[in-house]
Amino acid sequence: MPISTLLDEHNRLVRNTTFAARVRTAFTRVAREVLAEDPQTPGNPLRVGLARSILNPGDFTSPGYAPTIAADPIVSTTAAAGFLPTDPDSAQGAVTDAQILDAVRAAWDVIAGVTPA
């Protein structure tokens, strides 16, 4: 199984505008899920705070949370396995939307500042 280096993750994913757009969209989708969750969910105020900030973005030109998602082990490994030197979009194209959404959901509490119980 190919392992991506930090520089690979940066060059092939973080700097890829299509990947960054997919990650922003995944965060928007998950933000809507969080706003609809039970208020008794552990860490709800922090989770909702992050959701509101995601839905009120300041800038669509920065990579946003793409670096966090690019570092997800499944995303990184999938991108490394799918990379073709002749196709600069191949690494991000190998990563499925489901993998990005799973990575966003897995990172949500960490980004929101929710501490484990």
Side-chain angles (χ1 to χ4, degrees), residues 44-71:
N44 182 262
L46 291 170
R47 292 174 53 77
V48 166
L50 177 59
R52 288 190 176 129
S53 71
I54 295 296
L55 294 175
N56 295 301
D59 180 6
F60 282 117
T61 61
S62 76
Y65 292 112
T68 303
I69 303 311

Side-chain angles (χ1 to χ4, degrees), residues 76-95:
S76 179
T77 301
T78 301
F83 176 68
L84 302 170
T86 57
D87 181 1
D89 232 21
S90 60
Q92 79 81 25
V95 181

Side-chain angles (χ1 to χ4, degrees), residues 24-51:
R24 278 193 300 273
T25 303
F27 267 93
T28 300
R29 185 177 292 179
V30 174
R32 293 174 57 94
E33 293 171 5
V34 168
L35 290 174
E37 74 187 11
D38 183 341
Q40 298 305 312
T41 300
N44 182 262
L46 291 170
R47 292 174 53 77
V48 166
L50 177 59

